[in-house]
Amino acid sequence: MSKQQKPIDTLICASWTIPVTPRGEVFEDFAIAVHQGRIVDLLPESEALQRYQPDSHYTLENHALLPGLINAHGHASMSLFRGLADDLPLMEWLNDHIWPAEARWVNEAFVADGSKLAIAEMIRSGTTCFSDMYFFPEVAARVAQECGIRAQLVCPVLDFPTVWASKPEEYLEKSLKLAIEYAEHPLINVGLGPHAPYTVSDKPLINIRDIASEYDIPVQIHLHETQQEVDEALSKDQQRPLSRLAGLGLLSDDIHLQCVHMTALNEEDIAQLKGSAASVVHCPESNLKLASGFCPVQTLLDKGITVALGTDGAASNNDLDMIGEMRTAALLGKAVAQDASALSAPTALEMATLGGARALGIDDQCGTLEIGKSADIIAVDMARLNTLPSYDLISDIVYSLSSSQVAYNWIAGELKLEKGQLTELDEHALRENAISWSEKIKANK
Ligand SMILES: [Zn+2]
């Protein structure tokens, strides 16, 4: 080590680096210097080799470095219900299959095992941060913490009793306790999750607004998932669900409202979103699979509204693959806008990274590869037949990359995936456990 060289934890050199900011930029033969979990430098490889003396050094030829993907909406432990009830419309799927299965099976062990299975799948496919809305969020938080993945745990709130709580006051009490417990955690955030406008009445929504504002806690809700939801609200409340939330004070500057799905939007809805701090979480594959409707993503982006991307749970997707989700979002966005230039490849990549970080309120920490941010980085192997030849790397990533090409995944500088293999989680044990749950569930269906 020469005198001038600075000791650092990790130096990652790759053929290409896509920082996402500046938009569309691709750096060739660059290196990312990582120390104490943060990106401390981003510079040409030749300079990096002179300047730094790393403990760990990765030279990744034919790989592209990207910010870790952010899955902004899901129900991680529902991975154990993957494929349980398919090819059904939303309300029949929920009422006749998912809710009964949840009543029968969901407990702390289910959430622990399902969350771990989901986290392993997400790490393998390039996700470094996920949002999770499910029962026993304290269990999912513990599992996420053990796995060292960044997460937003959204605590459910409903009018009716479930396995986690009996009434809105109890849901909120438990949610606030968890939020306070994790307030200072570097990787875990806690949010409030009113399930949907049709399952949560005004009084708890007002309480949610007050708690969110006082403690600066994000709120995530399934909203305008279908035209049917909007029509039923119009006949019951004489107003659209989004207008009802606005009337209750949830669409204001100081509430970080994350509106999941947002199909069936009219101009008034879009104007309301634009005038607030709310963001939209688009889940194209879940919307397609449940035939829920279409989110006008390019129109929202044109208005300056933040749009993030989510897979939703594995019971309605049926995977947690954000690379596939990016591609679906880009393709669907064009069809919905009836414009092939809508939702371009750089836009889709930005939604899956920076858009997610903005929606979750953590864009000061992640979402791009920039000095000072957390080292949440993935490397994808571009030397496969399906991504060759290459004329435009970002197009290749959005339109032809497969998640099996994700080779490395660092979260806050910790290596979670190396050469496509999980470094900490035991894949064999996860597989056995998933099979054993499915056998139990099948035997009692
Ligand atoms: Zn959902």
Side-chain angles (χ1 to χ4, degrees), residues 75-77 79 82 113-123 320:
H75 313 280
S77 29
S79 288
R82 191 193 321 263
D113 289 353
S115 299
K116 199 179 256 190
L117 176 66
I119 288 168
E121 183 188 353
M122 288 191 277
I123 289 174
L320 308 178

Side-chain angles (χ1 to χ4, degrees), residues 117-400:
L117 176 66
I119 288 168
E121 183 188 353
M122 288 191 277
I123 289 174
R124 286 203 69 140
S125 52
T127 290
T128 54
C129 173
F130 72 106
S131 180
D132 187 43
M133 182 197 280
Y134 212 61
F135 309 109
F136 304 106
E138 70 279 15
V139 175
R142 194 191 68 223
V143 174
Q145 189 177 359
E146 283 165 10
C147 297
I149 188 167
R150 193 178 297 282
Q152 169 185 270
L153 281 306
V154 178
C155 305
V157 182
L158 296 112
D159 281 346
F160 49 86
T162 63
V163 281
W164 193 54
S166 58
K167 54 184 198 290
E169 294 76 17
E170 191 189 351
Y171 286 102
L172 284 170
E173 198 182 302
K174 287 184 159 181
S175 306
L176 188 56
K177 182 170 168 270
L178 194 66
I180 291 168
E181 190 183 330
Y182 280 93
E184 301 300 323
H185 196 279
L187 296 180
I188 309 285
N189 284 334
V190 173
L192 300 173
H195 167 262
Y198 54 90
T199 50
V200 189
S201 49
D202 287 359
K203 189 165 167 270
L205 285 171
I206 292 167
N207 290 338
I208 285 168
R209 177 203 63 198
D210 292 344
I211 293 170
S213 172
E214 185 180 344
Y215 294 89
D216 195 21
I217 299 174
V219 180
Q220 186 173 91
I221 184 168
H222 295 105
L223 191 61
H224 286 220
E225 185 165 359
T226 59
Q227 183 65 51
Q228 187 188 352
E229 173 194 328
V230 176
D231 292 344
E232 284 177 4
L234 278 168
S235 61
K236 181 172 165 275
D237 311 317
Q238 288 73 54
Q239 56 183 342
R240 300 169 71 78
L242 189 68
S243 298
R244 179 171 151 236
L245 295 190
L248 297 172
L250 278 151
L251 261 81
S252 62
D253 279 350
D254 65 332
I255 307 285
H256 297 286
L257 185 68
Q258 302 159 8
C259 310
V260 181
H261 299 308
M262 298 306 267
T263 78
L265 297 182
N266 65 18
E267 279 182 27
E268 187 199 337
D269 297 328
I270 295 171
Q272 261 170 346
L273 283 172
K274 186 175 157 50
S276 74
S279 51
V280 169
V281 183
H282 177 42
C283 302
E285 293 187 2
S286 173
N287 294 161
L288 284 166
K289 184 157 183 284
L290 296 167
S292 297
F294 303 105
C295 176
V297 176
Q298 188 62 54
T299 306
L300 298 174
L301 292 170
D302 290 343
K303 300 277 181 190
I305 296 162
T306 295
V307 184
L309 203 56
T311 57
D312 213 345
S316 67
N317 185 300
N318 289 1
D319 59 39
L320 308 178
D321 173 1
M322 283 290 288
I323 288 171
E325 204 74 29
M326 266 197 294
R327 174 155 61 234
T328 305
L331 298 178
L332 184 65
K334 295 168 200 309
V336 169
Q338 296 187 34
D339 174 3
S341 69
L343 250 162
S344 66
T347 302
L349 179 61
E350 194 175 273
M351 276 171 51
T353 53
L354 183 57
R358 283 186 177 141
L360 271 49
I362 52 174
D363 51 314
D364 58 333
Q365 298 167 52
C366 57
T368 60
L369 299 178
E370 289 180 279
I371 294 169
K373 284 200 180 180
S374 177
D376 294 10
I377 305 166
I378 61 169
V380 293
D381 176 6
M382 301 305 292
R384 303 265 183 99
L385 296 182
N386 57 297
T387 40
L388 288 170
S390 179
Y391 303 103
D392 181 325
L393 202 70
I394 297 178
S395 281
D396 299 337
I397 285 166
V398 172
Y399 295 119
S400 44

Side-chain angles (χ1 to χ4, degrees), residues 8-26:
I8 54 167
D9 293 335
T10 308
L11 188 68
I12 310 164
C13 303
S15 299
W16 306 281
T17 298
I18 301 170
V20 171
T21 298
R23 195 163 193 275
E25 185 77 72
V26 180

Side-chain angles (χ1 to χ4, degrees), residues 22-33:
R23 195 163 193 275
E25 185 77 72
V26 180
F27 296 127
E28 271 186 52
D29 296 324
F30 257 53
I32 300 179

